[in-house]
Amino acid sequence: MCGITGYLGDRQAKAVLFEGLRRLEYRGYDSAGICVISPEGEMGCVRVSGNLDALAGALEGAELPGTTGIGHTRWATHGPPTVENAHPHLDCDGNIAVVHNGIIENFVKLKHSLQSRGHRFKSQTDTETIAHLIEENYHGDLAEALRLSLGELAGAYGIVAVHRDNPDVIVAARRDSPLVLGIGDGEYFIASAVPAYLTRTRRFIFLEDGELLVVNRSGYSISGPDGREVSHRPVEVDWDIDAAEKGGYDDFMLKEIFEQPRAVADTLADKFDSSGEIEVEELCLEPEAARELRRIVVVACGTSYHAGLLAKYLFERWAALPVEIEIASEFRYRNLVVTGDDLVVAVSQSGETMDTLAGVREAKRRGASVIAVVNVVGSQMTREADGVIYTHAGPEVGVAATKTFTAQMAAMYLLAMHLGRLRGGVSDEKYRMIVGELQVLPPKIEEVLEGRDAVIACAEKYQHCRDFLFLGRSVGYPVAMEGALKLKEISYLHAEGYPAGEMKHGPIALLDKDVPVVAIAPRNSVYDKMISNIEEVKARGAPVVAVATRGDPEIEEICDDVLWVPETMEMLYPVLTVVPLQLFAYYVAKLRGCNVDQPRNLAKTVTVE
Ligand code: AGP
């Protein structure tokens, strides 16, 4: 999720472009750049590795005359945050500049094809392929060149491009990645989100998927996928800046909960080759080494630990590998005999958590290979691990992990299946079934999110309770742990996650009418056991909120409240069943007047031991 800006008007573009990027800084900040076309057709570009402060410094001494330009602040997905990988990206001769938000799934194939035709690449990004495609398709009409290029792209994009021969034209196009056109008085603002230019105009047009925008001195035109002109009535946006940065949601956490379909889809999007087999470029795990693995050791903290807990079940079932999982801060105090036959999987959204980094270093010291599952490209853990699987959840501003958790789960499914395929544990038929169901998880998450009202009613009903117990079995157990963590870290209420079968070995003593129990009970192989546990809970007078498979009549009869999720495969339910729990924690915390984005005592990244 990056910040994109474009400007065409009568002001000097450099300042206007930077101003817009500054307001999009929450969307990405590991590298940035601006290109401006001078009236004489000179393309002036300044790009930096680092945040917008670094760009500001570089722009101070840069003469970038011109009233047409584009800008970008990057959240790296492909290629570390270096100057070479910073946008805008240029074609071979520096005539065309492109900024992009999204993931081009077929960029490796496109890049090789372009290189075979003599195109010279300077970066590791997927975006640069767009600049060279436009170069190939350009014969004087930039809009037509972009349209032809779009036909070769697979994946999500918000693209803005300029050509030095056309200093009075900006073109843009979007698919699955937002772009807006701000309409000023004789000037036009393009951005990946409204906040960029809300101080300049309140009139915006929201481009639809498949549309192509052309802006010039006489106005703008928008055409649909078929090339025919479409018209959109400008919208008067009355949000304040703060609301706009949250996309209209009250809090970043809620916005990020609702971004999960995109986060999961983007994490899955670039992990398959053209034949549909899993292919993770930076994984660096040879098939032979995968087949010789003796054990997997998972190391993580907090929510990432819960993603690792789920992975334990997956690695055991699909890769037939024994799995040892340990809280990172405890990992180093165990004399865990880790050898070169072990694969250590470190899970971390930030890639900077000191406890997990310490575990990675200890594992490497003992000769193990380390794969890191990380959301932040170029973070410390990605530089120390032997291989990396990136989640593509985009920046997560809320301290409580939400979209990065479901993205981590998606990455774990892929890693477990990849190992399973290499070790012969996942048949073609089973692989196709699982991959097929993974691909339809994003719309199923959307369906769960549509059930928000039922969650709000539950939050209102139980907001005054002081203690909660979350129960789950099998892959529902990591979800119970995560649901409890979410509730306690943002509402400050006491909540415990427990294996449901363990309740009778102690925690059941806690239960009475004031201790709600949240039971993760989708239709799966442990459903009947969960029903028994729910009956035991009800017999002690405690209220039960079940997270269940939509249409299950049995559970509705015995529970006080039910939060529904659509049906899916047994091992994939966690991606769906965690969502109501995230919403429950959020709404209870809001009802209790808590600061959900910045809960007390917590930091987004714990870089101390
Ligand atoms: C979860 O909501 C918390 N933000 C926290 O437990 C977090 O998951 C933990 O600190 C690990 O962070 P990491 O994923 O960046 O390593």
Side-chain angles (χ1 to χ4, degrees):
M1 183 165 83
C2 305
I4 285 179
T5 56
Y7 176 72
L8 188 148
D10 50 17
R11 297 175 220 255
Q12 285 304 299
K14 180 177 101 169
V16 179
L17 293 167
F18 182 79
E19 169 199 316
L21 291 180
R22 187 60 93 179
R23 294 197 181 283
L24 295 178
E25 195 161 16
Y26 66 92
R27 291 172 66 89
Y29 34 74
D30 57 42
S31 50
I34 278 176
C35 269
V36 176
I37 305 180
S38 74
E40 299 71 38
E42 290 304 312
M43 182 85 81
C45 271
V46 172
R47 300 185 301 166
V48 296
S49 166
N51 61 21
L52 289 175
D53 292 339
L55 182 60
L59 288 173
E60 267 170 24
E63 278 300 311
L64 292 181
T67 60
T68 303
I70 57 177
H72 188 273
T73 182
R74 184 172 181 237
W75 174 270
T77 56
H78 294 84
T82 59
V83 178
E84 295 74 22
N85 290 333
H87 302 210
H89 286 287
L90 309 182
D91 66 323
C92 296
D93 300 329
N95 296 322
I96 296 164
V98 173
V99 291
H100 162 237
N101 182 23
I103 290 175
I104 304 301
E105 295 165 15
N106 61 335
F107 88 94
V108 173
K109 188 170 162 230
L110 284 174
K111 181 171 180 176
H112 292 160
S113 169
L114 287 158
Q115 286 172 319
S116 69
R117 295 196 294 276
H119 287 268
R120 304 177 304 282
F121 281 74
K122 301 183 180 68
S123 83
Q124 300 158 278
T125 68
D126 53 343
T127 304
E128 193 182 355
T129 54
I130 303 169
H132 293 283
L133 277 176
I134 295 174
E135 176 187 3
E136 273 206 345
N137 290 311
Y138 180 78
H139 307 292
D141 181 338
L142 184 58
E144 188 54 23
L146 176 57
R147 179 183 301 286
L148 291 170
S149 305
L150 297 178
E152 300 188 58
L153 301 180
Y157 55 75
I159 297 169
V160 186
V162 291
H163 193 297
R164 64 190 303 177
D165 293 350
N166 310 123
D168 296 325
V169 175
I170 299 182
V171 297
R174 67 149 285 178
R175 180 168 69 201
D176 289 339
S177 186
L179 278 180
V180 298
L181 171 67
I183 301 168
D185 183 5
E187 57 184 355
Y188 298 96
F189 309 91
I190 297 171
S192 46
V194 160
Y197 291 114
L198 210 46
T199 56
R200 292 280 183 184
T201 178
R202 290 277 172 182
R203 298 178 65 220
F204 287 88
I205 286 177
F206 293 77
L207 280 187
E208 302 284 345
D209 275 354
E211 291 182 344
L212 191 151
L213 166 70
V214 181
V215 179
N216 56 39
R217 295 290 166 190
S218 55
Y220 64 91
S221 67
I222 299 171
S223 54
D226 56 6
R228 285 216 294 262
E229 188 148 354
V230 297
S231 68
H232 290 299
R233 182 188 306 278
V235 173
E236 283 297 320
V237 175
D238 59 3
W239 293 338
D240 62 29
I241 287 284
D242 183 55
E245 284 180 352
K246 296 166 188 167
Y249 291 97
D250 290 342
D251 300 280
F252 277 111
M253 181 180 174
L254 189 60
K255 173 172 174 277
E256 287 151 6
I257 288 172
F258 276 78
E259 283 175 343
Q260 292 185 107
R262 167 56 54 212
V264 169
D266 283 353
T267 297
L268 296 171
D270 64 340
K271 307 257 184 341
F272 293 90
D273 65 19
S274 51
S275 69
E277 283 296 330
I278 292 170
E279 182 182 60
V280 181
E281 202 181 342
E282 305 99 332
L283 186 57
C284 306
L285 178 66
E286 292 305 319
E288 202 44 46
R291 283 188 277 272
E292 288 167 5
L293 277 180
R294 182 176 64 88
R295 179 179 59 161
I296 290 183
V297 179
V298 179
V299 176
C301 302
T303 291
S304 296
Y305 173 80
H306 299 150
L309 207 48
L310 167 68
K312 172 183 167 67
Y313 292 90
L314 305 176
F315 293 140
E316 289 169 344
R317 181 176 293 230
W318 291 343
L321 274 167
V323 181
E324 181 85 39
I325 179 166
E326 185 52 273
I327 293 278
S329 53
E330 285 300 307
F331 177 75
R332 61 203 314 200
Y333 304 118
R334 293 182 49 185
N335 184 29
L336 191 61
V337 181
V338 174
T339 71
D341 293 335
D342 293 330
L343 175 66
V344 171
V345 177
V347 190
S348 175
Q349 183 283 127
S350 62
E352 301 292 349
T353 298
M354 188 48 72
D355 286 331
T356 311
L357 273 170
V360 166
R361 290 163 184 161
E362 182 62 15
K364 287 181 70 72
R365 190 181 67 79
R366 296 179 179 221
S369 299
V370 177
I371 284 175
V373 179
V374 177
N375 193 46
V376 181
V377 174
S379 53
Q380 187 61 30
M381 214 168 288
T382 65
R383 293 197 294 273
E384 298 192 23
D386 300 297
V388 180
I389 298 181
Y390 281 116
T391 53
H392 294 316
E396 188 171 66
V397 177
V399 165
T402 50
K403 63 176 182 174
T404 55
F405 179 59
T406 42
Q408 284 172 342
M409 289 198 274
M412 286 306 185
Y413 288 125
L414 295 175
L415 178 58
M417 272 205 294
H418 183 56
L419 290 173
R421 292 289 275 171
L422 294 174
R423 297 169 57 86
V426 175
S427 67
D428 290 353
E429 183 191 359
K430 186 173 174 185
Y431 178 79
R432 278 193 298 275
M433 187 175 65
I434 297 169
V435 169
E437 190 53 32
L438 273 176
Q439 302 291 7
V440 298
L441 277 183
K444 290 189 175 184
I445 299 172
E446 295 281 8
E447 197 180 319
V448 178
L449 292 166
E450 287 161 10
R452 161 170 35 173
D453 291 347
V455 181
I456 295 173
C458 263
E460 289 165 348
K461 183 173 178 182
Y462 298 108
Q463 60 178 300
H464 300 299
C465 297
R466 300 289 306 165
D467 299 283
F468 292 77
L469 191 59
F470 288 70
L471 301 177
R473 283 179 180 263
S474 177
V475 292
Y477 165 47
V479 176
M481 295 293 286
E482 177 59 12
L485 174 61
K486 285 283 97 44
L487 185 62
K488 65 184 129 186
E489 69 174 326
I490 64 172
S491 70
Y492 317 144
L493 293 172
H494 173 250
E496 282 191 67
Y498 245 88
E502 186 65 7
M503 179 185 59
K504 55 187 175 298
H505 300 289
I508 197 165
L510 289 171
L511 300 186
D512 63 27
K513 64 179 176 51
D514 298 323
V515 181
V517 171
V518 180
I520 317 304
R523 280 278 185 192
N524 58 16
S525 61
V526 292
Y527 176 80
D528 292 342
K529 292 263 190 329
M530 281 304 296
I531 292 293
S532 304
N533 292 139
I534 290 170
E535 298 283 10
E536 290 159 11
V537 169
K538 293 299 295 169
R540 274 75 185 174
V544 175
V545 179
V547 181
T549 304
R550 188 177 305 287
D552 177 354
E554 188 181 350
I555 206 152
E556 200 164 19
E557 282 174 15
I558 63 172
C559 292
D560 300 82
D561 305 274
V562 183
L563 302 176
W564 300 108
V565 300
E567 188 172 3
T568 185
M569 288 175 64
E570 170 150 3
M571 303 303 274
L572 304 191
Y573 264 115
V575 177
L576 302 179
T577 53
V578 74
V579 176
L581 306 187
Q582 296 168 337
L583 288 170
F584 180 73
Y586 172 81
Y587 285 109
V588 169
K590 290 295 281 184
L591 287 164
R592 293 172 52 81
C594 298
N595 179 342
V596 292
D597 281 341
Q598 292 157 350
R600 70 186 184 195
N601 309 333
L602 290 178
K604 182 61 184 170
T605 304
V606 182
T607 54
V608 294
E609 287 184 283

